[in-house]
Amino acid sequence: MAIIHIVRGADEADYSASGAVTVYDAAQAAGLISRDILAAKVDGKVVALSTPVEGDALVTLLTFDDPEGARVFRHTASHILAQAVKRLYPEVKLTIGPAIDDGFYYDFDADFSFTGEILSKLEAEMKKIVKENLRIERFELPRAEAVALMEKAGEPYKVELIEALPEGETISFYRQGEFTDLCAGPHLFSTGAVKAFKLTACTGAYWHGDAKNKMLQRVYGTAFPTKEALNEHLARQEDARKRDHNKLGRELEYFTTVDYIGQGLPILLPKGARVIQLLQRFVEDEEQKRGCLLTKTPLFAKRELYKISGHWDHYLDGMFVIGDPNDETKECFALRPMTCPFQYQVYLNRKRSYRELPMRLTETSTLFRNEDSGEMHGLIRVRQFTISEGHYILRPDQLEDEFRGCLDLAKYMLDTVGLLEDCTFRFSQWDPANPKNKYEGTPEQWEEAQSLMAKILDDLGVKYTVGIDEAAFYGPKLDIQYKNVFGKEDTIVTIQIDLLLAKRFGMEYTDSDNSQKNPYIIHRTSLGCFERTLAYMIEKFAGALPTWLMPTQVVVLPLNEVFGDYARGVAQRLNANGVRVEVDDSSDTLGYRIRQAKLQKTPYILVIGENEMKNGTLTVNDRVHEKPYTMAEGDFFAKLDTEIKTRAKYQTAD
């Protein structure tokens, strides 16, 4: 007797039948199946609707609104693409074709490039496959038969994948019409469900991501259940391309890169450097208000420091080493990937009492990390960056209050620059089964640290997801996550609890009973990496940063040379008030100069002519009003002063 407990939202139903049944049959009999159902979870594992189920099972039905359901949908679309390629270009060899966050891709070994014309042909063939509504069937084979099947099909990459599978691993295939592919699945019931799709790009990709291997053709695409949803997605992607800081930041001259300097080593141009300077001053001033002590420590150190901290054992591949790391007879240095072991020396400078704690050490730190070349992206992933780093050394009884203060500071900073509303929180924990032996400490120490953090987060009412195997090697952390315009997520701010490193460094304090104790440590950033923050702000505001952060806040335009001296006088008065102002008195037409200032996202453009000079007024063009308007000079100065001093995120139409 099979008893299927089917769950869909708050609705539940039981279905009983003798022997094994498929998820589809069970759901259909319970009256819950519809065209919206794409896949299912059976006891927590995502499966196709055609999966047989025996005995008792908890089944959750998945739609496209479920991330797992969307991945099944798009994985099927990748197989439809591969089938289309094999129909039109049978000599092409198949590799892999997974679903990704907003679509799918498939890597092909082809002797030609997948041009726009070829992508159009493939889309047309994919539409035929969808119209054929081919049933998708799963089957398994023993290893030898699986290899023979792929050898007969002339698919060497599939043979390599099969041979790399561990002994005893299930080897499964999916068949749709004449097309069969090695795949773990799951997939949809048939090809007919994939109603709307688009092939979006083709790039190069090395087999297994290794530059020593052959370059493949990676075709990207996306798919949705309806044409309307696809069109909405494509419109969002077009807007994302316009906002992409890697494009817009270069066009607005915030940064550039130079091949012979190196990947991941951006040059901040005057505009970008000014914004970073403003952010740095803002952070350092706010940290000082909150009782932080500023430090200035070296950019590199001998390997002995990193051996004490554990970075040499756990992070060496991510460090830039000066010298031979394997030659113990000679000095070897490394550029710092983080500041903590340096700042601990401030604490260790002399003996400490419990009365001196907490000690909040902060630094605007330049750090160096040897990121993989494939991970680099504009200002978001770089090899040299600047970060608002801090290490709070404290007593155990101070942990919750200090953690609360760190979180409050981070939220204040992110809110002020306009990013907080789009952030999410992740409680990053260790994985005791990590095969790479990534972590320091005992299970008991990790249990203690994670329990402390869980209690603090719950006490503070933080809504978070859990990230297993995302912890630092020395402790759990709260990661504040942010997505770029294309949906790629990175950590923007982190707050970590560390119960281990103080002991490694011999950090102690004399407690009230004269005993020597190891302090706890909080590792934290307040605004994170300044370069990454700038990138996210360019994307968030489409280059029109809040006025207080704009490199140029006002451009003054004399109508012609007659009014040049008066216009420069207006600019001087603005400059005396701390406003970053430029005068454009070139011979170009007024309309052209206004357009150029608007293209630079200038918050305020002031036009000076005869009426303005006679009446002491200003004609104002801004980023909010469609038409220019007139203000008394004093009123405009007061309005601008308030906007800058309050660090307003947006200009208003008031």
Side-chain angles (χ1 to χ4, degrees):
M1 179 72 71
I3 304 174
I4 314 298
H5 306 286
I6 299 173
V7 180
R8 185 186 184 192
D11 300 326
E12 295 189 8
D14 290 344
Y15 172 71
S16 299
S18 59
V21 296
T22 67
V23 177
Y24 182 91
D25 293 335
Q28 188 178 47
L32 296 174
I33 201 72
S34 76
R35 287 182 300 171
D36 295 333
I37 305 301
L38 303 177
K41 264 188 181 180
V42 177
D43 292 334
K45 181 182 179 182
V46 180
V47 299
L49 291 175
S50 56
T51 301
V53 178
E54 298 187 35
D56 289 350
L58 177 65
V59 178
T60 305
L61 301 179
L62 301 175
T63 70
F64 194 83
D65 292 332
D66 301 296
E68 293 154 316
R71 292 184 79 83
V72 172
F73 187 91
R74 287 167 171 157
H75 193 182
T76 300
S78 78
H79 276 222
I80 294 173
L81 165 62
Q83 185 175 11
V85 168
K86 294 299 288 186
R87 281 185 177 184
L88 297 181
Y89 308 99
E91 73 280 8
V92 170
K93 306 304 179 188
L94 305 177
T95 64
I96 58 171
I100 53 179
D101 284 347
D102 61 351
F104 60 89
Y105 70 80
Y106 209 111
D107 288 347
F108 302 100
D109 183 357
D111 294 331
F112 57 88
S113 297
F114 284 76
T115 62
E117 181 181 355
I118 288 177
L119 294 184
S120 295
K121 290 180 179 178
L122 290 173
E123 283 185 356
E125 191 63 34
M126 290 173 69
K127 289 177 182 177
K128 293 180 183 177
I129 295 169
V130 170
K131 191 173 182 179
E132 291 169 17
N133 195 24
L134 302 171
R135 186 175 177 86
I136 300 173
E137 300 172 296
R138 182 182 189 274
F139 63 93
E140 299 175 5
L141 289 176
R143 181 182 298 268
E145 293 182 32
V147 169
L149 177 65
M150 290 294 98
E151 285 179 339
K152 183 178 179 181
E155 300 292 354
Y157 294 95
K158 300 294 184 180
V159 172
E160 180 182 332
L161 290 170
I162 294 168
E163 291 176 340
L165 291 172
E167 288 294 334
E169 187 83 7
T170 298
I171 302 175
S172 60
F173 295 84
Y174 280 82
R175 181 191 297 118
Q176 52 196 57
E178 83 288 353
F179 178 74
T180 298
D181 201 354
L182 171 74
C183 186
H187 286 277
L188 301 180
F189 219 65
S190 71
T191 61
V194 184
K195 298 296 185 184
F197 53 85
K198 178 71 177 175
L199 300 182
T200 55
C202 179
T203 63
Y206 292 110
W207 176 234
H208 291 316
D210 189 337
K212 297 177 183 178
N213 293 332
K214 187 169 184 179
M215 175 72 77
L216 306 171
Q217 303 276 328
R218 175 169 293 179
V219 178
Y220 284 96
T222 191
F224 288 84
T226 66
K227 189 170 291 186
E228 292 77 14
L230 173 64
N231 290 338
E232 288 175 7
H233 171 79
L234 294 176
R236 288 194 299 270
Q237 290 297 99
E238 180 60 28
D239 181 61
R241 281 189 286 273
K242 293 177 181 177
R243 291 173 177 266
D244 181 8
H245 85 279
N246 213 8
K247 174 180 179 292
L248 189 55
R250 295 172 193 271
E251 292 174 351
L252 294 174
E253 297 188 345
Y254 279 91
F255 76 100
T256 189
T257 52
V258 181
D259 287 344
Y260 52 78
I261 288 180
Q263 191 179 14
L265 298 171
I267 305 295
L268 288 173
L269 301 174
K271 287 183 180 180
R274 178 65 70 194
V275 176
I276 297 295
Q277 180 193 55
L278 292 166
L279 289 171
Q280 180 178 329
R281 288 173 175 173
F282 165 53
V283 168
E284 290 182 350
D285 288 347
E286 185 62 31
E287 289 177 339
Q288 182 174 335
K289 291 177 186 176
R290 299 187 184 220
C292 295
L293 304 173
L294 189 64
T295 68
K296 187 76 172 175
T297 58
L299 298 181
F300 64 102
K302 294 162 65 173
R303 71 180 140 211
E304 284 71 20
L305 177 72
Y306 303 114
K307 283 189 174 183
I308 296 171
S309 68
H311 291 100
W312 198 257
D313 293 329
H314 295 279
Y315 204 78
L316 184 60
D317 289 344
M319 297 166 68
F320 289 102
V321 177
I322 307 168
D324 185 351
N326 301 312
D327 187 351
E328 296 288 341
T329 66
K330 295 180 181 179
E331 279 193 329
C332 181
F333 294 81
L335 298 175
R336 64 180 183 185
M338 60 282 296
T339 312
C340 45
F342 296 85
Q343 285 195 321
Y344 296 162
Q345 310 312 309
V346 177
Y347 182 87
L348 290 165
N349 186 51
R350 60 175 172 81
K351 289 187 176 181
R352 303 292 177 179
S353 163
Y354 74 98
R355 297 180 184 275
E356 298 177 75
L357 305 182
M359 178 182 286
R360 306 181 186 99
L361 302 175
T362 59
E363 183 166 332
T364 302
S365 306
T366 299
L367 303 181
F368 307 86
R369 296 183 184 175
N370 191 11
E371 298 279 4
D372 292 336
S373 60
E375 290 293 317
M376 241 77 75
H377 177 62
L379 297 177
I380 291 178
R381 282 278 182 176
V382 291
R383 285 174 167 157
Q384 176 184 312
F385 56 94
T386 309
I387 195 167
S388 56
E389 198 167 12
H391 298 91
Y392 291 13
I393 304 167
L394 45 107
R395 304 189 307 265
D397 62 286
Q398 297 169 325
L399 181 62
E400 183 161 348
D401 284 344
E402 291 303 311
F403 192 99
R404 178 185 291 107
C406 291
L407 181 56
D408 180 72
L409 173 64
K411 291 171 72 173
Y412 170 72
M413 294 289 182
L414 292 169
D415 183 50
T416 303
V417 300
L419 300 180
L420 181 62
E421 62 189 14
D422 299 313
C423 289
T424 58
F425 297 86
R426 184 182 72 193
F427 180 7
S428 295
Q429 303 178 4
W430 83 318
D431 180 3
N434 188 296
K436 296 180 182 178
N437 192 26
K438 173 181 172 181
Y439 301 104
E440 292 277 326
T442 65
E444 292 75 20
Q445 289 171 317
W446 276 93
E447 231 8 85
E448 179 185 3
Q450 291 188 170
S451 296
L452 285 169
M453 181 171 278
K455 180 181 183 303
I456 291 170
L457 295 177
D458 291 342
D459 287 348
L460 297 178
V462 178
K463 295 181 179 179
Y464 57 82
T465 58
V466 172
I468 300 298
D469 202 25
E470 296 289 348
F473 70 83
Y474 48 78
K477 53 185 178 149
L478 177 67
D479 288 324
I480 302 180
Q481 303 292 104
Y482 195 92
K483 291 183 179 180
N484 71 6
V485 286
F486 296 108
K488 173 68 168 63
E489 184 176 272
D490 279 298
T491 300
I492 190 168
V493 168
T494 186
I495 307 171
Q496 307 170 13
I497 291 178
D498 173 12
L499 310 185
L500 300 176
L501 292 188
K503 187 172 183 179
R504 291 189 68 139
F505 277 90
M507 299 166 67
E508 295 181 335
Y509 65 91
T510 303
D511 206 355
S512 57
D513 60 0
N514 287 324
S515 63
Q516 296 299 304
K517 294 182 178 176
N518 298 120
Y520 286 178
I521 300 172
I522 295 176
H523 305 240
R524 69 103 181 106
T525 52
S526 54
L527 193 58
C529 168
F530 289 113
E531 291 85 353
R532 184 175 290 178
T533 299
L534 173 58
Y536 286 146
M537 292 186 69
I538 290 172
E539 294 182 350
K540 166 87 174 186
F541 297 104
L545 304 185
T547 300
W548 71 278
L549 280 173
M550 281 296 294
T552 300
Q553 296 164 319
V554 177
V555 170
V556 183
L557 307 178
L559 193 59
N560 54 49
E561 61 183 15
V562 173
F563 308 105
D565 288 342
Y566 186 82
R568 284 184 283 275
V570 172
Q572 288 172 1
R573 291 191 289 278
L574 284 165
N575 184 65
N577 280 0
V579 177
R580 293 182 292 281
V581 57
E582 295 178 3
V583 177
D584 182 357
D585 55 1
S586 66
S587 59
D588 294 314
T589 65
L590 178 64
Y592 177 83
R593 286 181 285 156
I594 290 175
R595 286 194 298 274
Q596 289 303 109
K598 286 185 175 181
L599 286 173
Q600 294 302 310
K601 313 293 184 180
T602 308
Y604 294 98
I605 304 164
L606 307 181
V607 176
I608 305 296
E610 185 173 355
N611 288 336
E612 289 78 19
M613 191 167 67
K614 282 184 178 180
N615 301 323
T617 59
L618 302 169
T619 296
V620 184
N621 292 263
D622 64 28
R623 301 185 302 200
V624 178
H625 295 84
E626 292 185 9
K627 296 181 179 180
Y629 54 93
T630 301
M631 288 187 74
E633 181 178 299
D635 292 342
F636 174 76
F637 279 32
K639 166 185 167 64
L640 182 59
D641 186 63
T642 298
E643 186 176 337
I644 293 171
K645 286 183 177 177
T646 60
R647 300 191 180 93
K649 292 191 281 290
Y650 300 97
Q651 290 174 261
T652 64
D654 296 337

